[in-house]
Amino acid sequence: MNAVKNDPEPPPVGGVLWSLAGDIRMLLTLPPALAMQVAHPAVGAGVDDHSVFRTDPWGRGERSLASLQLWVYGGEAAAAEGRRLRALHRTIQGTDAHGRSYHALTPAYYAWVHATGYPVFRHAQQYLGRPFTEAQERALYAEWLQVGRVLGIHDRDMPQTIEEFWPYYQKVLDNELEETVVVKELLATDPPLPAPDRGPRWLRLLLRLSWPWLRPRFARVRRFVTIGLMPPDARQAIGLEWTDAQERRLRRLGRVVRAVVPVLPERLRFMPIARRARQAARG
């Protein structure tokens, strides 16, 4: 614990998340985790009612990615980011599609948003990297618990071992998840998605001009990755179809990713916050 502020420390330098969370392959794991989160009716309603994912999807994605990087690589800024997120969610409340009241900081809902990371990392690693050993899976879970503490989640609201996690996870799949309105929007192949507005001016202009052609293709890839890298039991709980042909395509994609990404230079392989933290740790 931080001796000055009594803040929870982020996961350890050199741990499983240290190499995993900042790798560009992380970008492929965000869509399935997000879809699992918003498949919970309360979480989906909160995003539906309060998020800017429709009006500012690229900005929201950029901010979410930076926040996630801080949880792992932020040092003393990690806990501050956790407090900022809780303050941001304090006023998010309403009624879900079943007429039930929700509040974003209800422990069960906030903990589920956090919990989705572990099974998605574990499943996606089978395609995008070298499958975890049992020791690595346990280390990853312990580190993800530490991320939960950074986010202000109490230990009593998180399963404390892998053995406790899977029954909890299955109970949520069996009793809570469904294909919510937001899940359907995230998986739509013809979304009203604006052209990306981040990056150099020349790139933004090029994307704006080519977006009518690119948008449906981007949406199809997003749907493919979202469903494919989602754990099969979660996929089934939400009611999403996945064929043998799609599975073969995903495995081919995984082979390409595994061959290319590990040989990239660090400045291309790791995202900026992670890259700076790694450089500082070496120094």
Side-chain angles (χ1 to χ4, degrees):
M1 301 290 282
N2 186 300
V4 177
K5 296 182 180 179
N6 203 35
D7 283 341
E9 297 284 355
V13 172
V16 178
L17 279 174
W18 188 256
S19 296
L20 184 68
D23 191 297
I24 58 173
R25 286 173 283 191
M26 160 70 68
L27 297 172
L28 296 175
T29 67
L30 296 180
L34 175 59
M36 287 173 61
Q37 292 163 15
V38 298
H40 191 295
V43 180
V47 171
D48 192 16
D49 294 340
H50 299 275
S51 176
V52 297
F53 82 99
R54 296 184 181 96
T55 57
D56 184 25
W58 305 106
R60 183 188 186 280
E62 182 180 60
R63 292 187 294 274
S64 297
L65 184 60
S67 181
L68 189 153
Q69 298 291 292
L70 285 174
W71 307 343
V72 177
Y73 302 101
E76 291 185 1
E81 177 63 10
R83 289 192 295 271
R84 186 192 71 83
L85 287 175
R86 291 189 70 86
L88 183 68
H89 286 81
R90 197 165 290 141
T91 59
I92 296 178
Q93 56 188 314
T95 304
D96 70 16
H98 301 284
R100 300 173 299 199
S101 297
Y102 71 83
H103 191 289
L105 292 181
T106 297
Y109 307 156
Y110 208 63
W112 171 249
V113 171
H114 162 261
T116 57
Y118 174 71
V120 169
F121 285 149
R122 178 178 177 272
H123 178 66
Q125 186 70 9
Q126 300 176 47
Y127 299 89
L128 305 178
R130 183 175 297 175
F132 294 128
T133 64
E134 181 179 351
Q136 287 172 325
E137 283 192 17
R138 290 187 177 278
L140 173 61
Y141 190 75
E143 292 174 25
W144 199 240
L145 283 178
Q146 192 60 22
V147 168
R149 298 179 187 113
V150 165
L151 294 175
I153 303 173
H154 296 295
D155 278 359
R156 64 175 178 266
D157 297 318
M158 299 183 291
Q160 292 298 292
T161 65
I162 291 179
E163 287 77 14
E164 293 175 2
F165 176 80
W166 292 118
Y168 152 78
Y169 171 74
Q170 192 62 52
K171 184 177 179 180
V172 176
L173 296 191
D174 291 343
N175 299 309
E176 300 288 351
L177 298 199
E178 61 186 45
E179 192 176 18
T180 63
V181 170
V182 181
V183 169
K184 292 177 181 177
E185 289 191 40
L186 293 176
L187 296 176
T189 55
D190 57 345
L193 187 66
D197 56 2
R198 297 300 192 270
R201 184 177 179 182
W202 66 267
L203 179 60
R204 285 182 279 126
L205 177 60
L206 178 62
L207 288 171
R208 189 160 60 245
L209 292 173
S210 59
W211 196 239
W213 181 85
L214 282 175
R215 184 180 64 183
R217 290 162 177 80
F218 171 82
R220 287 197 292 271
V221 170
R222 182 177 67 176
R223 177 183 174 88
F224 175 74
V225 169
T226 300
I227 300 176
L229 293 181
M230 184 183 296
D233 46 7
R235 189 192 300 153
Q236 183 177 5
I238 301 171
L240 304 175
E241 294 184 1
W242 185 250
T243 67
D244 290 342
Q246 289 173 313
E247 179 67 19
R248 290 191 294 271
R249 285 172 53 203
L250 182 63
R251 292 187 179 279
R252 288 196 296 270
L253 173 64
R255 285 195 291 271
V256 173
V257 170
R258 290 196 304 272
V260 172
V261 174
V263 300
L264 292 175
E266 187 174 61
R267 62 186 176 83
L268 297 178
R269 179 178 173 183
F270 288 94
M271 290 175 275
I273 293 176
R275 188 170 65 248
R276 290 193 294 269
R278 291 168 65 86
Q279 290 169 349
R282 287 197 298 270

